[in-house]
C-alpha cells in the first residue's frame, strides 16, 4: 500500500513540475514572438492564408486561415501549456493531428470536431498507452492498452470500457481470455494462473458465476455451479488418473484468494480533453462577421466583439461559464419551410405533469399503488435464477393481497380505503428487474418514497393515464384488460428476447399489477411499470413519436404552443439521424430482431420514440441578438450548444463511467431536412447539409396493441377513405416491414 502511495505522489510531483515548465515555455513563446495582425478585410473570400495570431486570452495560433477561421494545417498553443498541431476545418480541429498536455501526455491520430475520433494513440505521463479506435473521446472498437502498472489488454472496447472479446494479462503472469462487459469479465471466458491452475466457464461482474470448471495441472478438476454465495454453489471433484484422494480444497478459495490479485487497473485519467479546449471562434457561420475585428474610420482595429464573444473551454472549467442549460429562455431552430423565419420554442420552466397531492382525484389510487409496490418488492422470495420454469409464466400465476385500513398480519395500517392488490407473474417481473440491473431498494424509493407521483396532463389516445416517479426513472401506465392479456401472452417470448439481446430497444417492463377497491365502487385499475426512456440530466430539446405512417401523423398544436415537451410525429420530422458505423450496424441488427419479435407476437401500432439534446445552445450578445457558435455554414443559422452539465459528462475520462448504450446517451449527428411544399405526405425530407451534434435517446414503445378484431375493422374502414399504406392499423407483418423500412431510412451511417 505504501509503495502505491509513494508511486502516486511521485507522479503528482512530476505532473506539477511539467505543468509549471509548460506554462513558462508558453509565456516565453508569447512574449518573445512578434505577431502581425491580419487585416481580414483585405483577404478575399475563400482565400487560404498563413497567419500568426495572439488571441484575447493569451492563446496563440499559427497556421492556415480562411474566412476568419483556422482552415488547413495549424498549431494552437494554450497559456496553460496544452498544444495542438494538425488539421483544421472551418475553425474546428479535424483530420490528423497531435494534442499535447502540459504533463507530457500526448494523443496522436484522427480528430472530428475536436474529439479524438478514429484511429489514434494516447500516451500518458505515467506510462499508460492506448492504441486503437476512438469515438467521441471514448475507446470504442479494437484497441490495445498498456497500463502504467505493467498490465496489458488487447481486444474490443465499447464506449470506454472493455466489452466483447479480449485478453487481459496481469504482471504476475495471470491472464484471462474471453468475454467482457462494462470493463469486467462477463460471459464465457478462461483464466489461467501462473501455477498452471485454470478456470473456464461463465463469469458475471468479474467473478465466476454459473457453470464452470476449475482444473489443476495434474488433470484433476472441479465441475459445478459457481457463485460468491456459498448456498448457491455446488459441484463435483473429478480426480486425475494419478490422484485418487480428494484434496483439502474449498472452491470458495477462488473468490477469496485466487482472484485477489486480478483487479483491472483503472488506468490514467486525462486532466482535460481536446474537445473541451477548442475555442468558440467568432463568425462560425458563413456571412456572419459579427465576431471579426472591424476597421474603424481611424484605421484602428475594433476587437471588442472579437474578445467579448470568444472564449476557450478551459475558462469554463475554471468556473467562468455564465450559461446554464436550464436557464436558456428559448431555443431557436431554423424553420423547415423558410430559412429566414426562426420559430422560438420556450424551454419548460417546470417539470412535466401535476403532482398528485392530497385532494387530487387519484390521490388514494397513488397511495394504494405505493403500498402495493412496497409489499410486493419487499416480500421475501427465493434466490433468483435467470432460468425460469414455464410455470412462472402461467397467466394464472397471480398473488392477491388484501389491504384493510386497520392493517393485517402481512400488511400495514393505512389511511386509504379498503382495497385488494394483485401481482401478475411476480417471479418473472422480479427476475426482469434483476436482468435490467434494477436495485430493489432504489426501485422502492423511486416509486414509494416520500415524494408523490406526477400525473401527465392528459391521457393518451388509448385513454390510458401516465404517472411519473419524482426522479423520472419510472413511468406507470394504466392499461386495459386486453393489454394485460397481451403482455401475459407474450411474456415468455419477451423474457427470452430481452435476456438474449441486452441492446434491445423494446420497452423495459418492471411490474404488472392491479388495484381493486372493495365496497360499492368495485373499481379495478390495471397498470404496468416501465422504464422512462427519456430519463436524463440532459434537457431533451426535441422528441418524436415515429411509426412510418402518414395519416394523422402530425401534431395538432399550433406552432406557437410547441415546446421541448411536445411529442412531434412523422410529418413533423425534419432531421436524419447519423450514427457512428459500429453503432449503426448494431442498430440495424437490433431493429430487425425487435421487429421480428413483435411481428411473431402479432403486435402492431408501436412507435420509435426519439429524443435528443442539442450539444450547443445559442449565445446571446450584449445587444440581445443571437450569434451562431457551432459548425453551421448557413447565414443566420443558430446552433445550440451543450450545457456545462452535459459537457462534463460527455467529456469525462474515456475509461471512466460513461453510461452510453444503444439508444441511451449516444453522441450522434443529425442533419436538417426540408420537405417539398407540394408533397404534404412526404415522410422524409431532402437533406440540406446542415448538421448538429446531439446526444440521442431512442426506443420502441407501445408494444401491447394486438391486431384484434377492432383493429381489423379500423383497417377496413379507413382503407376505404385513405391510402391503406398511410394508416397505422395494418397487419403486423405489413406494419413491421413498413416500420423498419422507414426507421432505416431516417437512421443512416455517419460517414
Amino acid at each position: 500500500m505504501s509503495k502505491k502511495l509513494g508511486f502516486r505522489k511521485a507522479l503528482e510531483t512530476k505532473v506539477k513540475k511539467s505543468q509549471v515548465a509548460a506554462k513558462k515555455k508558453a509565456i516565453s513563446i508569447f512574449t518573445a514572438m512578434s505577431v502581425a495582425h491580419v487585416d481580414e478585410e483585405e483577404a478575399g473570400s475563400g482565400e487560404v492564408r498563413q497567419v500568426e495570431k495572439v488571441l484575447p486570452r493569451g492563446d496563440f495560433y499559427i497556421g492556415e486561415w480562411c474566412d476568419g477561421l483556422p482552415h488547413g494545417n495549424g498549431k494552437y498553443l494554450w497559456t496553460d501549456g496544452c498544444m495542438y498541431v494538425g488539421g483544421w476545418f472551418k475553425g474546428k480541429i479535424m483530420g490528423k493531428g497531435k494534442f499535447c498536455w502540459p504533463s507530457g501526455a500526448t494523443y496522436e491520430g484522427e480528430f472530428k470536431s475536436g474529439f479524438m475520433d478514429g484511429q489514434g494513440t494516447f500516451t500518458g505521463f505515467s506510462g499508460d498507452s492506448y492504441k486503437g479506435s476512438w469515438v467521441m473521446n471514448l475507446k470504442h472498437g479494437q484497441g490495445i492498452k498498456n497500463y502504467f502498472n505493467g498490465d496489458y489488454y488487447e481486444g474490443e472496447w465499447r464506449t470506454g470500457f472493455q466489452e466483447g472479446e479480449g485478453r487481459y494479462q496481469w504482471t504476475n503472469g495471470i491472464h484471462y481470455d474471453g468475454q467482457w462487459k462494462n470493463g469486467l469479465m462477463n460471459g464465457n471466458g478462461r483464466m489461467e494462473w501462473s501455477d498452471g491452475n485454470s478456470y473456464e466457464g461463465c463469469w458475471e461482474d468479474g467473478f465466476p458465476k454459473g457453470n464452470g470448471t476449475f482444473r489443476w495441472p495434474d488433470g484433476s478438476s472441479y465441475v459445478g455451479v459457481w457463485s460468491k454465495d456459498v448456498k448457491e454453489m455446488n459441484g463435483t471433484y473429478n480426480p486425475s488418473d494419478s490422484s485418487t484422494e480428494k484434496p483439502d480444497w474449498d472452491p470458495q478459495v477462488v473468490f477469496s484468494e485466487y482472484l485477489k490479485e486480478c483487479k483491472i487497473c483503472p488506468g490514467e485519467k486525462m486532466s482535460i480533453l481536446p474537445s473541451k479546449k477548442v475555442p468558440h471562434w467568432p463568425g462560425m457561420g458563413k456571412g456572419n462577421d459579427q465576431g471579426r475585428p472591424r476597421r474603424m474610420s481611424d484605421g484602428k482595429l475594433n476587437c471588442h466583439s472579437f474578445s467579448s464573444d470568444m472564449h476557450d473551454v478551459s475558462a469554463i472549467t475554471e468556473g467562468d461559464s455564465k450559461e446554464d442549460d436550464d436557464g436558456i429562455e428559448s431555443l431557436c431552430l431554423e424553420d423547415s419551410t423558410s430559412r429566414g423565419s426562426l420559430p422560438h420554442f420556450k424551454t419548460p420552466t417546470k417539470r412535466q405533469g401535476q403532482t398528485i397531492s392530497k385532494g387530487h382525484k387519484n390521490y388514494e389510487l397513488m397511495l394504494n399503488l405505493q403500498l402495493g409496490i412496497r409489499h410486493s418488492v419487499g416480500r421475501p422470495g427465493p434466490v433468483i435464477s435467470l432460468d425460469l420454469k414455464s410455470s412462472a409464466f402461467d397467466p394464472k400465476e397471480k398473488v392477491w393481497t388484501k389491504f384493510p385500513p386497520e392493517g393485517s398480519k402481512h400488511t400495514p395500517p393505512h389511511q386509504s380505503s379498503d382495497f385488494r392488490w394483485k401481482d401478475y407473474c411476480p417471479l418473472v417481473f422480479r427476475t426482469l428487474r434483476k436482468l435490467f440491473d434494477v436495485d430493489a431498494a432504489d426501485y422502492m424509493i423511486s416509486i414509494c418514497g416520500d415524494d408523490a407521483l406526477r400525473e401527465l396532463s392528459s391521457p393518451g389516445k388509448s385513454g390510458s393515464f401516465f404517472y411519473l416517479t419524482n426522479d423520472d426513472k419510472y413511468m406507470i401506465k394504466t392499461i386495459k384488460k386486453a393489454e394485460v392479456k397481451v403482455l401475459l401472452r407474450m411474456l415468455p417470448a419477451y423474457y427470452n428476447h430481452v435476456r438474449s439481446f441486452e441492446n434491445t430497444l423494446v420497452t423495459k417492463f418492471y411490474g404488472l399489477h392491479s388495484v381493486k377497491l372493495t365496497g360499492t365502487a368495485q373499481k379495478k385499475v390495471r397498470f404496468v411499470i416501465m422504464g422512462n426512456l427519456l430519463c436524463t440530466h440532459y434537457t431533451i430539446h426535441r422528441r418524436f413519436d415515429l411509426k412510418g405512417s402518414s395519416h394523422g401523423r402530425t401534431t395538432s398544436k399550433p406552432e406557437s404552443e410547441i415546446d421541448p415537451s411536445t411529442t412531434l410525429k412523422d410529418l413533423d420530422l425534419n432531421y436524419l439521424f447519423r450514427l457512428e458505423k459500429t453503432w449503426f450496424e448494431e442498430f440495424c441488427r437490433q431493429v430487425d430482431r425487435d421487429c421480428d419479435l413483435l411481428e411473431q407476437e402479432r403486435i402492431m401500432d408501436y412507435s420509435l420514440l426519439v429524443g435528443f439534446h442539442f450539444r450547443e445552445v445559442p449565445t446571446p450578445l450584449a445587444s440581445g441578438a443571437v450569434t451562431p457558435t457551432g459548425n453551421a455554414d448557413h447565414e443566420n443559422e443558430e446552433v445550440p450548444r451543450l450545457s456545462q452539465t452535459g459537457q462534463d459528462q460527455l467529456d469525462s475520462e474515456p475509461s471512466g463511467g460513461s453510461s452510453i448504450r444503444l439508444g441511451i446517451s449516444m453522441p450522434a449527428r443529425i442533419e436538417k431536412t426540408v420537405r417539398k411544399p407540394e408533397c404534404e405526405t412526404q415522410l422524409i425530407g431532402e437533406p440540406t447539409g446542415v448538421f448538429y451534434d446531439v446526444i440521442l435517446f431512442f426506443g420502441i414503445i407501445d408494444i401491447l396493441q394486438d391486431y384484434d378484431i377492432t383493429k381489423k375493422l379500423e383497417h377496413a374502414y379507413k382503407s376505404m377513405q385513405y391510402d391503406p399504406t398511410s394508416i397505422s392499423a395494418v397487419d403486423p407483418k405489413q406494419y413491421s416491414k413498413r416500420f423498419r423500412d422507414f426507421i432505416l431510412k431516417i437512421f443512416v451511417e455517419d460517414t
Side-chain angles (χ1 to χ4, degrees), residues 385-538:
S385 169
L386 297 182
D387 297 316
L388 295 176
K389 296 179 180 178
S390 58
S391 58
F393 297 93
D394 191 332
K396 297 178 181 178
E397 189 69 18
K398 308 167 187 174
V399 177
W400 277 102
T401 306
K402 291 183 179 181
F403 279 82
E406 67 276 10
S408 67
K409 183 179 179 181
H410 303 289
T411 62
H414 57 87
Q415 297 178 351
S416 184
S417 56
D418 190 9
F419 71 94
R420 294 182 71 194
W421 172 265
K422 184 193 286 187
D423 281 321
Y424 297 87
C425 297
L427 181 58
V428 177
F429 285 102
R430 188 179 174 205
T431 310
L432 280 171
R433 292 194 294 270
K434 177 180 173 60
L435 195 63
F436 294 139
D437 293 325
V438 174
D439 180 77
D442 292 340
Y443 184 71
M444 277 201 289
I445 290 171
S446 292
I447 302 174
C448 315
D450 296 332
D451 297 310
L453 302 177
R454 303 197 314 278
E455 183 180 78
L456 297 189
S457 56
S458 60
K461 187 177 178 182
S462 63
S464 299
F465 281 86
F466 293 87
Y467 303 93
L468 281 172
T469 56
N470 187 64
D471 57 9
D472 290 331
K473 284 184 180 180
Y474 305 103
M475 182 174 284
I476 301 165
K477 178 186 178 183
T478 62
I479 58 176
K480 299 175 182 177
K481 185 177 181 179
E483 292 176 296
V484 172
K485 289 183 177 179
V486 170
L487 179 53
L488 292 175
R489 183 195 74 200
M490 67 181 291
L491 197 55
Y494 172 84
Y495 177 82
N496 290 329
H497 183 80
V498 298
R499 185 182 176 187
S500 301
F501 306 112
E502 64 173 352
N503 279 331
T504 180
L505 300 174
V506 297
T507 304
K508 289 181 169 61
F509 293 122
Y510 300 122
L512 181 62
H513 316 278
S514 71
V515 169
K516 185 176 182 181
L517 301 179
T518 58
T520 55
Q522 291 289 308
K523 181 182 178 183
K524 190 171 186 179
V525 181
R526 305 168 182 87
F527 55 90
V528 65
I529 302 176
M530 309 174 289
N532 179 13
L533 178 66
L534 301 183
C535 175
T536 172
H537 70 269
Y538 294 113

Side-chain angles (χ1 to χ4, degrees), residues 201-213:
C202 297
W203 296 76
E204 186 176 300
D205 296 334
F207 294 96
K209 181 68 181 290
N211 295 319
T213 302

Side-chain angles (χ1 to χ4, degrees), residues 15 17-20 22-23 80-83 100-105 271:
V15 171
K17 287 181 178 178
S18 61
Q19 287 176 337
V20 170
K23 287 183 179 180
D80 63 1
C82 290
M83 180 178 71
C100 303
W101 284 264
S103 63
S271 56

Side-chain angles (χ1 to χ4, degrees), residues 325-383:
D325 189 55
D326 294 332
I328 300 167
E329 293 183 356
S330 65
L331 174 65
C332 304
L333 288 181
E334 181 183 24
D335 194 330
S336 61
T337 58
S338 174
R339 207 173 275 282
S341 174
L342 297 176
H344 291 260
F345 295 96
K346 297 290 183 181
T347 299
T349 55
K350 60 180 182 179
R351 303 170 75 187
Q352 279 185 283
Q354 177 188 3
T355 301
I356 305 176
S357 54
K358 201 163 187 177
H360 190 284
K361 63 178 182 178
N362 288 324
Y363 180 69
E364 279 201 356
L365 177 63
M366 182 192 73
L367 292 181
N368 297 344
L369 187 153
Q370 291 178 322
L371 284 165
I373 294 292
R374 193 178 290 115
H375 172 76
S376 299
V377 179
R379 184 172 55 226
V383 175

